[in-house]
Amino acid sequence: MVLEAEAADKATGPVTLPQGSDMLTTFLSLMPDAAVAVDGKGTIVAVNERTETFFGYSAEEVHGKSIELLVPERFRHSHRRRRSEYSSDPKTRPMGAGLDLYARRKDGSEFPVDISLAPIGGEGEQLVVAAIRDITERKAAQSAQAQLAAIVQSSADGIFSMSHRGVITSWNPGAEAMFGFSPDEVVGRHIGLFFPDDPVLEELLDDTRSGHVPRSKDTRWQRREGKSLDVAISVSPLALGDEPGFSVLVRDITVHKEAEAQLRRQARWQAATAEIRLSLLSEASLSSSLNLVCKWTAELANATAAALVIVEDQRSRVAASAGDRDALAAISRSDQVATPVAQAIASGKPATAASNRGSGIHARAFPLTLPGKGGPQAAALVILGEEAAHLGPDADETIGSLATQAILAFELANVRSERDRLLISADRERIARALHDLVIQRLFGAGLRLQGALALIDNPQATTRVASTVDDLDVTIKEIREAIFALESAPGTGLRAKVLEALAYASESLGFRPTVAFHGATDGEVALPVQLEAVAVLREALSNAARHAHASRVEVQITLEDELSVLVADNGVGIGNPAHLSGIANARARAELLGGSLDLSPTDGGGTCFQWRVPLPAAADGAA
């Protein structure tokens, strides 16, 4: 309690009381607050019961003591000076005169107070009565209110209050920054002028009026310049004087909504990729897979249509399409589609062009290089529609990834075509072996038997016919031998050709071409299933050398004796723990199924020696 001696705005003269301590005690006991009477020297002459409760002192403990006993130590010096000034010109000071005052209890604790001063006089010495009121709760409420006001003012969220009639009564800086309206523009005006006809806000207000505490809900409000803003709003009841009102908190959730949209786009992209790859793995036709790519491209880009355009000899053709037929018809217009396609292919980056025919349809092309039998083909994945002009980097990346699915479709189509060719070649080899090993041998034996029978025939006409038949058999054998030569001359049918093809393919991932040596007869001596197993194992060994060994030299040896041996040696860092490589386990399983084995050992240079062996069946007897 700092018993300050400042004068009030309106001073009054001293109050006159009859003499006698009983009268003073009675007067103090009637006061609703703690009260202390002091004389001109600052000595306490009387206190009431509430004072004893406030300060923890009994009346006997404070009687005759200086009033500074009830003042915190840090204020006592200034209090004595001001008390002296007040004694020279005593005036009444009302409660709550705007002073920041504190009092001290017996235990040393402090508490905020309001103090009013009133001089009283009589026939004896003049006294001063101080009425003391504990304002701890009021201070706490004021502090909480100030803290809340600071939070509202510093919050990045928009916070405003309005009456139950919808009139805005406050508007914080967060709301101003969010919507672009200053407090002077909105306070005192109806909420509907700024955010009209919002059913979400109306629902929240109705729930709040009903006594419920509604959860925040998402909606869209407009900024001053007309741009829409995704926001989450919550409403709470608020007392505005004697009238009920509402407090509204508005949070900008644009980033949250964009993240949700990104997740939805990603989920759709994953669904698209899964469906396209399922189509590719199910050996669907190339055209159906490409049409599926175009369908998902149009859907993910929210475009009117999409098409895959291939450029050959400076001419373009549509390989696949999906979407609106009228928009797809625009592909034939060279000024609308050919320009972005040419720009995309030339620059290697997406390009956009608008129609100059007033259709409002834009075209955006994404370049890609497709594999073909005659070499790479220039192509572009094109989307059509107004949306094509407004795609962002994320959409470009998504559509670019779909373009790679089109490349994969072409690659798989080429692989399947090559597989079919190999299967046909295998049939040719089988037929050639059957002709050589069975048909020719039988025809040759029949001819010999007929020649031996000529000496036993007496009829000249029969002899002539048999001799003619033997000549026909010789001609037939010659023709069959020519057919066998033609069958065996088909390109890429033997083990040697398959090995060389695998080495050429591995050269891209290795960065160099491995050396190769063939020992023994490698063409026409190994059954096709064993050839395919051997080539698959060779590809796996070369892949491991590229991915794990980091080798700069790879040597391949193909040996055919009593067994087929595939040896791959590199100078890399070693294969590490082969138990963790599924490819090694797969190669070992292939060998064991054919009765063979797989050996892994280090080379002298620190690399790995991979040797795969399988036994071969004995060669057919009686070959001519």
Side-chain angles (χ1 to χ4, degrees):
M1 176 188 66
V2 178
L3 303 180
E4 300 289 353
E6 287 84 349
D9 293 334
K10 181 178 180 181
T12 62
V15 178
T16 302
L17 290 177
Q19 276 188 319
S21 58
D22 291 341
M23 184 62 71
L24 178 59
T25 301
T26 302
F27 171 71
L28 295 180
S29 66
L30 295 175
M31 296 182 66
D33 299 310
V36 179
V38 297
D39 60 16
K41 296 178 181 180
T43 301
I44 299 174
V45 297
V47 297
N48 64 0
E49 186 177 349
R50 188 173 292 273
T51 303
E52 299 179 29
T53 304
F54 271 16
F55 291 94
Y57 291 105
S58 65
E60 290 76 13
E61 289 179 298
V62 298
H63 190 275
K65 300 292 185 1
S66 172
I67 188 62
E68 277 75 33
L69 176 67
L70 307 181
V71 176
E73 287 84 348
R74 63 184 183 279
F75 298 125
R76 289 177 179 176
H77 178 72
S78 59
H79 186 270
R80 291 187 185 96
R81 176 176 51 80
R82 293 180 180 178
R83 177 167 52 78
S84 176
E85 294 173 356
Y86 181 80
S87 298
S88 63
D89 185 19
K91 296 179 181 178
T92 299
R93 187 185 71 191
M95 189 76 73
L99 302 176
D100 192 16
L101 308 178
Y102 291 87
R104 180 183 181 280
R105 297 186 181 94
K106 181 179 180 179
D107 60 7
S109 60
E110 299 179 10
F111 60 100
V113 294
D114 263 351
I115 299 175
S116 64
L117 300 178
I120 60 174
E123 298 179 1
E125 184 180 8
Q126 187 175 26
L127 303 176
V128 176
V129 174
I132 307 165
R133 182 173 298 169
D134 185 350
I135 58 171
T136 301
E137 293 183 0
R138 191 178 76 190
K139 280 280 188 179
Q142 290 174 346
S143 177
Q145 186 175 6
Q147 185 177 12
L148 179 60
I151 292 173
V152 170
Q153 288 299 110
S154 62
S155 175
D157 295 330
I159 303 175
F160 63 91
S161 60
M162 63 182 187
S163 69
H164 68 284
R165 295 184 178 87
V167 177
I168 299 173
T169 57
S170 69
W171 187 261
N172 80 328
E176 181 178 1
M178 192 176 296
F179 298 107
F181 297 105
S182 68
D184 292 341
E185 293 176 295
V186 297
V187 172
R189 307 185 69 183
H190 197 276
I191 186 71
L193 296 175
F194 305 96
F195 312 113
D197 302 327
D198 181 13
V200 173
L201 177 61
E202 294 170 0
E203 181 181 347
L204 289 173
L205 292 173
D206 185 61
D207 289 344
T208 305
R209 288 190 187 97
S210 302
H212 302 297
V213 181
R215 299 179 61 181
S216 64
K217 295 187 178 181
D218 297 348
T219 185
R220 292 179 69 86
W221 283 0
Q222 283 192 335
R223 290 175 51 85
R224 180 171 190 158
E225 69 275 12
K227 178 182 177 181
S228 293
L229 191 68
D230 287 305
V231 295
I233 59 175
S234 57
V235 177
S236 303
L238 179 69
L240 298 174
D242 296 333
E243 291 188 358
F246 304 98
S247 173
V248 182
L249 186 145
V250 186
R251 176 160 296 171
D252 184 353
I253 56 173
T254 302
V255 175
H256 175 69
K257 287 294 185 180
E258 289 176 353
E260 286 183 345
Q262 178 65 23
L263 288 175
R264 287 194 296 271
R265 287 193 296 269
Q266 186 175 1
R268 293 171 64 199
W269 177 82
Q270 290 174 343
T273 303
E275 185 176 353
I276 293 171
R277 290 181 178 175
L278 182 61
S279 173
L280 297 177
L281 294 175
S282 65
E283 299 197 6
S285 66
L286 177 62
S287 61
S288 64
S289 296
L290 295 178
N291 287 333
L292 189 59
V293 170
C294 293
K295 165 186 170 292
W296 275 109
T297 299
E299 183 172 338
L300 292 179
N302 296 319
T304 307
L308 179 66
V309 178
I310 298 177
V311 179
E312 297 173 329
D313 300 326
Q314 297 182 344
R315 293 184 179 181
S316 62
R317 65 179 178 87
V318 178
S321 62
D324 183 75
R325 293 183 179 180
D326 294 336
L328 291 172
I331 295 179
S332 61
R333 304 171 187 169
S334 60
D335 61 337
Q336 186 165 5
V337 176
T339 298
V341 168
Q343 291 175 348
I345 292 175
S347 65
K349 299 178 180 179
T352 305
S355 170
N356 58 9
R357 298 174 182 265
S359 67
I361 295 180
H362 294 70
R364 185 161 178 80
F366 296 81
L368 62 155
T369 301
L370 300 176
K373 295 182 179 180
Q377 304 178 86
L381 187 59
V382 182
I383 61 171
L384 301 172
E386 188 66 28
E387 301 83 354
H390 307 292
L391 292 178
D394 291 342
D396 276 1
E397 183 178 353
T398 299
I399 296 173
S401 67
L402 290 179
T404 62
Q405 301 299 313
I407 297 174
L408 182 59
F410 272 88
E411 290 178 342
L412 285 175
N414 289 339
V415 168
R416 287 168 182 155
S417 175
E418 181 66 15
R419 179 198 62 187
D420 294 341
R421 187 184 67 80
L422 290 175
L423 291 176
I424 293 173
S425 297
D427 284 342
R428 293 167 68 99
E429 286 187 353
R430 180 181 56 78
I431 294 170
R433 287 197 301 270
L435 290 173
H436 181 275
D437 297 340
L438 298 176
V439 179
I440 289 180
Q441 297 298 326
R442 291 177 180 177
L443 290 175
F444 189 72
L448 289 178
R449 286 192 295 273
L450 287 174
Q451 282 181 336
L454 286 174
L456 303 176
I457 302 174
D458 295 331
N459 190 324
Q461 292 182 349
T463 301
T464 301
R465 289 184 178 182
V466 170
S468 176
T469 301
V470 171
D471 291 339
D472 290 340
L473 288 174
D474 287 338
V475 173
T476 301
I477 290 173
K478 180 181 179 181
E479 290 175 346
I480 291 176
R481 287 185 181 277
E482 291 176 352
I484 291 173
F485 177 78
L487 288 171
E488 291 183 336
S489 299
T493 59
L495 178 60
R496 180 188 297 268
K498 294 181 178 67
V499 168
L500 294 177
E501 181 182 3
L503 294 177
Y505 181 84
S507 298
E508 298 181 3
S509 57
L510 287 168
F512 58 90
R513 188 176 183 87
T515 61
V516 62
F518 295 91
H519 303 287
T522 57
D523 281 71
E525 299 292 335
V526 182
L528 179 62
V530 179
Q531 289 185 34
L532 296 178
E533 293 290 337
V535 172
V537 168
L538 175 61
R539 287 181 181 271
E540 180 60 34
L542 294 172
S543 175
N544 285 336
R547 291 183 297 167
H548 305 297
H550 308 293
S552 60
R553 186 178 72 255
V554 176
E555 298 175 0
V556 177
Q557 293 183 22
I558 307 297
T559 304
L560 179 62
E561 294 175 347
D562 294 334
E563 64 180 10
L564 171 61
S565 171
V566 178
L567 185 146
V568 180
D570 64 70
N571 66 341
V573 298
I575 200 167
N577 186 355
H580 295 295
L581 298 177
S582 59
I584 297 298
N586 186 35
R588 180 172 283 108
R590 289 174 183 269
E592 292 173 353
L593 286 174
L594 296 175
S597 62
L598 170 65
D599 296 320
L600 292 173
S601 60
T603 63
D604 294 337
T608 303
C609 180
F610 173 105
Q611 188 168 22
W612 187 82
R613 299 187 186 93
V614 294
L616 294 176
D621 295 330

